[in-house]
């Protein structure tokens, strides 16, 4: 099955992924990380936008499940020679691959590819669109830490307008019963949203404070903020975090801009789940690849 946005998953599939990710999290802490769940299967990773965490964790996830992984060096691919994305996708599909994990700057690109090819398409981020596996690993990290998602107060703060993480994580959090508040500078809030700024209100009493990077590469004009200004006005400072609920945690999908949206010391503090998110990322992507390739058998296991 294709996994392009959170709504592609049924409630049963979502529950299944959360359970499986817990299983793989434990498994990955053991010495022998390899299983045969996807033995003999062929997976291509095609990233037409920069990535560290997502690319590495899909690669590790596929290898730990025993699949054969091939990474398209996108910068050196024939796209640079004028080939269309569809022709690139058809070329990959003709090589009899089982899944294509793709990241692309154009929102909707994975939908177009999924309509055309036979292999399962897994969206690793489409421009300002969706980033379903990040949303899934975020809710799994919260569930792992608190033992629930339902009823938690979550603040998602920063560049909401351009963030595919905000879209996917928000959708999954609401589906699982969290109370989500979005906050950021007016210019970085979604069109039509009346809750500009509001970071102080969003963080006060929150159980989870999730900070997002300013997607400067997707901004038409620079924000014009002086060094330190963004942090003071909209970032996570000690003073702001002190107003969160007792036992509150800090999250960030990465990459972080320390001293901009988040104070470096807070990112490294005992309240931070940022590296726990990265660890869960590999586990969740194992669950996702298994579902995308082995579905429906995977859900009944
Ligand atoms: C994010 C992304 O690429 O959407 N990073 C990630 O996948 N962990 C967020 C970002 O680029 O700021």
């Amino acid at each position: 099955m294709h996994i392009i946005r959170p709504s592609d998953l049924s409630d049963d599939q979502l529950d299944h992924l959360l359970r499986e990710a817990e299983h793989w999290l434990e498994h990955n802490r053991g010495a022998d990380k390899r299983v045969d769940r996807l033995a003999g299967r062929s997976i291509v990773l095609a990233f037409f936008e920069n990535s560290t965490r997502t690319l590495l964790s899909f690669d590790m996830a596929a290898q730990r499940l025993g699949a054969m992984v091939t990474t398209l060096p996108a910068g050196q691919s024939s796209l640079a020679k004028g080939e269309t994305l569809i022709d690139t996708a058809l070329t990959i599909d003709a090589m009899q691959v089982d899944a294509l994990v793709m990241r692309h700057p154009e929102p909707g690109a994975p939908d177009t590819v999924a309509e055309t090819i036979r292999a399962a398409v897994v969206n690793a981020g489409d421009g300002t669109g969706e980033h379903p596996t990040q949303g899934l690993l975020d809710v799994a990290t919260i569930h792992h830490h608190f033992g629930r998602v339902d009823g938690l107060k979550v603040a998602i703060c920063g560049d909401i307008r351009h963030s595919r993480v905000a879209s996917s994580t928000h959708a999954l959090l609401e589906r699982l019963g969290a109370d989500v508040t979005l906050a950021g500078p007016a210019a970085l809030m979604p069109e039509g949203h009346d809750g500009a700024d509001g970071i102080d209100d969003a963080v006060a009493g929150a159980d989870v404070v999730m900070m997002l990077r300013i997607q400067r590469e997707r901004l038409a004009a620079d924000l014009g903020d002086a060094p330190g200004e963004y942090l003071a006005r909209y970032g996570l400072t000690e003073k702001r975090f002190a107003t969160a609920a007792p036992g509150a945690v800090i999250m960030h999908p990465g990459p972080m801009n320390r001293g901009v949206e988040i104070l470096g010391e807070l990112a490294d503090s005992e309240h931070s789940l940022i590296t726990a998110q990265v660890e869960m990322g590999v586990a969740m992507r194992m669950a996702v690849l298994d579902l995308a390739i082995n579905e429906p058998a995977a859900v009944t296991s």
Side-chain angles (χ1 to χ4, degrees):
M1 67 178 283
H2 304 302
I3 301 177
I4 296 175
R5 50 182 53 76
S7 58
D8 289 336
L9 300 166
S10 67
D11 289 343
D12 280 352
Q13 286 167 333
L14 178 54
D15 281 353
H16 167 82
L17 288 175
L18 290 171
R19 263 183 284 114
E20 282 285 289
E22 283 292 338
H23 165 74
W24 296 122
L25 190 77
E26 250 343 285
H27 166 86
N28 286 337
R29 290 177 180 174
D32 185 2
K33 296 181 174 42
R34 189 166 163 126
V35 292
D36 286 337
R37 188 75 68 96
L38 293 182
R41 302 304 194 115
S42 174
I43 298 178
V44 169
L45 309 178
F47 280 55
F48 303 101
E49 237 190 26
N50 294 349
S51 176
T52 298
R53 278 151 287 271
T54 309
L55 177 63
L56 280 179
S57 66
F58 266 114
D59 193 340
M60 286 183 201
Q63 294 202 49
R64 289 178 190 185
L65 293 172
M68 294 172 283
V69 188
T70 310
T71 304
L72 174 74
Q76 299 158 34
S77 74
S78 286
L79 279 174
K81 297 182 184 173
E83 184 172 70
T84 64
L85 176 65
I86 290 302
D87 283 332
T88 303
L90 285 170
T91 302
I92 294 168
D93 205 39
M95 293 173 182
Q96 299 295 336
V97 305
D98 297 286
L100 170 61
V101 179
M102 64 175 282
R103 167 171 286 194
H104 197 276
E106 207 51 57
D111 295 283
T112 315
V113 169
E115 282 160 18
T116 317
I117 70 171
R118 182 201 41 83
V121 174
V122 178
N123 181 11
D126 59 326
T128 54
E130 298 285 347
H131 194 351
T133 59
Q134 181 70 44
L136 287 164
L137 77 87
D138 286 340
V139 293
T141 304
I142 293 171
H143 193 276
H144 183 79
H145 182 83
F146 289 97
R148 69 191 168 102
V149 174
D150 190 34
L152 292 175
K153 190 166 181 281
V154 182
I156 306 182
C157 309
D159 186 352
I160 310 291
R161 177 177 292 192
H162 301 104
S163 174
R164 53 197 177 204
V165 178
S167 313
S168 292
T169 300
H170 185 190
L172 287 166
L173 282 168
E174 294 224 309
R175 226 168 122 177
L176 294 170
D179 170 11
V180 183
T181 308
L182 305 175
L188 301 182
M189 292 303 285
E191 235 140 313
H193 194 284
D194 54 6
D197 292 33
I199 175 140
D200 291 322
D201 290 344
V203 173
D207 299 295
V208 178
V209 181
M210 186 175 297
M211 301 308 297
L212 300 174
R213 180 179 71 89
I214 309 168
Q215 309 260 313
R216 292 191 197 265
E217 72 275 26
R218 305 191 207 283
L219 279 175
D222 202 86
L223 285 181
D225 49 325
E229 189 186 330
Y230 187 91
L231 181 68
R233 291 184 65 183
Y234 307 109
L236 191 62
T237 57
E238 296 275 13
K239 194 165 153 233
R240 282 201 178 100
F241 187 61
T243 69
V249 296
I250 298 164
M251 297 176 71
H252 194 305
M256 260 188 290
N257 288 143
R258 290 171 180 259
V260 182
E261 72 274 14
I262 186 166
L263 186 75
E265 285 80 355
L266 282 172
D268 301 329
S269 73
E270 81 238 23
H271 310 290
S272 169
L273 293 185
I274 297 171
T275 54
Q277 288 173 271
V278 176
E279 184 183 11
M280 187 60 88
V282 180
M284 181 52 84
R285 288 176 177 122
M286 290 171 83
V288 164
L289 288 174
D290 184 29
L291 178 64
I293 292 175
N294 286 331
E295 186 263 350
V299 180
T300 51
S301 64

